[in-house]
Amino acid sequence: MKRQADGRKARGEKRRTEIIEATLRVIERDGVAGVTHRTVATEAGIPTTSTTYHFATLDDLLVATLIDCARDMATEVYWMIDRARSHGRGRGAEEIAKLLAEALGPKRGRTMAEYELYLLAARKPELRPAARRWLDVLTSMVRHDDEVAFRVFLAGIDGLLIQGLIDDEPPGEEELRPVVDYLLNPR
Amino acid sequence: MKRQADGRKARGEKRRTEIIEATLRVIERDGVAGVTHRTVATEAGIPTTSTTYHFATLDDLLVATLIDCARDMATEVYWMIDRARSHGRGRGAEEIAKLLAEALGPKRGRTMAEYELYLLAARKPELRPAARRWLDVLTSMVRHDDEVAFRVFLAGIDGLLIQGLIDDEPPGEEELRPVVDYLLNPR
DNA sequence: CCAATAGTGGGACGAATGTTCAGGTATCTT
DNA sequence: AAGATACCTGAACATTCGTCCCACTATTGG
């Protein structure tokens, strides 16, 4: 079961991912501020020393979590755009608005966690490549005839999510749709 | 010098603002994570107990700082838009791009601090009115003939700032200008 | 089969944290 | 002027933090 010499699927790999997933749950619940070796260990149901063994410092743990998180973000947003493009010109906005409303509704905790890690990357340069990953993936994958319009689109999505996070009641799909539509096809 | 019975300019008001300003400096330097009663006290050059006296809990301190910060943000962004509007249709983008580049360059620390407090408001409902303040101020002050276009504009500004924070070298004014221009006058 | 090594876990250390308390000082009210 | 009130501060509390150490087990390579 172990990949030797090249792969990274060593023995302790399962524990590592357990710890990372527990870290993400802690961030969703209590924010980055709530991440300590002990809280993560308790969340994962493992002794405290196990977290310090696999991640020497707390920063290492946050870095690994962000990288893991960024991969999920990139693929998810990629499929979002892909689905939006596969639909008609008018239906694209509908699809994106639905996923945005989801990110601000049921998956609100996850969205908050992602942006907290995002902002952490602003302070720690070694995190930036991981944080930029999903932007880079989209930029390279999605066909964008207009460079400027595409940047505006990405910035708009980010802004809508962040502003939606501080709403008392998150904007619903129907409220988001016209805005997303304008973002895709400005008049 | 003291407003009695109604006003709030009591004696200890100076200390309060000193503490809040010190808190903002700490956040700019080390982030919200670096805010403790002791670090703030040291930054302000006052004993630790003075911070706990004026702000019983750490949350109170962060709330007060965010409210103070939000007021500055609102007025600054208001003048930004005002200056942009006073110029010609084409010069408006130039003005806004300059201020954005400034926020991502020399005032980068301040911008980071603002967004960290912003995200803190997503987790603490009592902070949201303060965090929304500058959005509300703009929405009420700035004439917006197109509601949807205005929301997209605000979201776009937020997105550009956040994405600029995780760039290794912040985008310059000339790089921002076409994007802001598109945001104001989409084609 | 048997050393060598990676992984696991209990316990404890010093340092830093939020918070409290009692005693002091300045300022205001009357 | 004198009492009341708000303000200030040094010292200390229990708690929690990151981290280290040492013993134990399972897995691996030869």
Side-chain angles (χ1 to χ4, degrees):
Chain A
M1 203 62 73
K2 175 184 177 182
R3 320 266 183 82
Q4 55 206 6
D6 58 330
R8 280 289 167 77
K9 273 281 182 286
R11 236 194 315 155
E13 198 68 6
K14 193 171 61 178
R15 261 288 164 87
R16 271 185 69 96
T17 65
E18 276 179 21
I19 294 174
I20 289 178
E21 287 167 5
T23 304
L24 190 52
R25 284 197 300 272
V26 170
I27 298 180
E28 289 178 16
R29 180 165 24 91
D30 303 323
V32 174
V35 173
T36 70
H37 281 139
R38 284 173 174 82
T39 57
V40 171
T42 302
E43 173 69 33
I46 58 176
T48 307
T49 43
S50 192
T51 63
T52 67
Y53 175 78
H54 289 280
F55 303 94
T57 165
L58 261 188
D59 272 351
D60 292 344
L61 178 55
L62 288 174
V63 168
T65 305
L66 173 60
I67 291 175
D68 206 66
C69 197
R71 181 176 42 242
D72 293 354
M73 282 174 72
T75 62
E76 181 172 350
V77 179
Y78 170 71
W79 287 117
M80 175 187 89
I81 305 239
D82 186 70
R83 283 210 287 174
R85 294 178 76 92
S86 71
H87 289 69
R89 189 181 174 86
R91 310 283 292 178
E94 205 163 329
E95 195 73 26
I96 293 181
K98 189 206 285 184
L99 290 168
L100 249 45
E102 200 176 315
L104 291 172
K107 301 172 71 176
R108 207 185 110 92
R110 172 62 181 255
T111 306
M112 275 195 297
E114 285 168 358
Y115 275 101
E116 286 192 15
L117 289 171
Y118 205 78
L119 226 56
L120 200 67
R123 231 170 254 286
K124 300 180 184 296
E126 70 268 23
L127 278 175
R128 288 179 197 162
R132 258 194 314 261
R133 187 191 160 98
W134 72 278
L135 282 177
D136 294 340
V137 166
L138 292 182
T139 305
S140 62
M141 279 184 162
V142 177
R143 210 182 111 262
H144 46 288
D145 11 280
D146 189 341
E147 179 78 33
V148 172
F150 187 66
R151 276 202 71 173
V152 168
F153 170 73
L154 290 180
I157 296 291
D158 260 347
L160 285 179
L161 283 175
I162 286 221
Q163 289 174 14
L165 284 178
I166 64 166
D167 277 342
D168 284 326
E169 53 202 43
E173 183 183 344
E174 60 285 347
E175 191 177 349
L176 252 17
R177 198 183 303 124
V179 184
V180 175
D181 186 58
Y182 183 92
L183 208 47
L184 285 175
N185 316 109
R187 296 173 284 274
Chain B
M1 204 62 70
K2 174 185 179 182
R3 320 268 182 81
Q4 56 207 6
D6 56 331
R8 281 289 166 76
K9 273 282 183 286
R11 236 195 312 153
E13 198 69 5
K14 192 172 61 178
R15 261 287 162 87
R16 271 185 68 97
T17 64
E18 275 179 21
I19 294 174
I20 289 179
E21 287 168 3
T23 304
L24 191 53
R25 284 198 300 274
V26 170
I27 299 180
E28 290 178 15
R29 180 166 21 94
D30 302 323
V32 173
V35 173
T36 70
H37 281 137
R38 284 173 174 81
T39 56
V40 170
T42 302
E43 173 68 33
I46 58 176
T48 307
T49 43
S50 191
T51 63
T52 68
Y53 175 78
H54 289 281
F55 304 94
T57 165
L58 260 189
D59 271 352
D60 293 343
L61 178 55
L62 288 174
V63 168
T65 306
L66 173 59
I67 291 174
D68 204 66
C69 197
R71 180 176 43 241
D72 293 354
M73 282 173 71
T75 61
E76 179 172 350
V77 179
Y78 170 70
W79 288 116
M80 174 186 88
I81 305 242
D82 186 70
R83 283 210 286 174
R85 294 181 75 94
S86 71
H87 289 70
R89 190 179 174 86
R91 310 283 292 180
E94 205 162 331
E95 195 74 25
I96 292 181
K98 189 205 286 186
L99 289 168
L100 249 46
E102 201 175 316
L104 291 172
K107 302 172 71 176
R108 208 185 109 93
R110 173 61 180 257
T111 306
M112 275 195 297
E114 285 169 356
Y115 275 100
E116 286 192 15
L117 290 171
Y118 205 78
L119 228 55
L120 201 67
R123 232 170 253 286
K124 300 180 183 296
E126 70 268 24
L127 277 175
R128 290 180 197 160
R132 260 195 313 263
R133 187 191 161 97
W134 72 277
L135 283 178
D136 295 340
V137 166
L138 291 183
T139 306
S140 63
M141 278 184 164
V142 177
R143 213 181 109 262
H144 46 290
D145 11 281
D146 189 341
E147 179 78 31
V148 172
F150 188 67
R151 274 201 74 174
V152 168
F153 170 72
L154 290 180
I157 296 292
D158 260 347
L160 284 180
L161 283 175
I162 287 221
Q163 288 174 14
L165 283 178
I166 64 166
D167 278 341
D168 284 326
E169 54 202 44
E173 182 183 345
E174 59 287 345
E175 189 177 350
L176 253 16
R177 198 183 303 125
V179 183
V180 175
D181 186 59
Y182 183 92
L183 209 47
L184 284 174
N185 316 110
R187 296 173 285 276

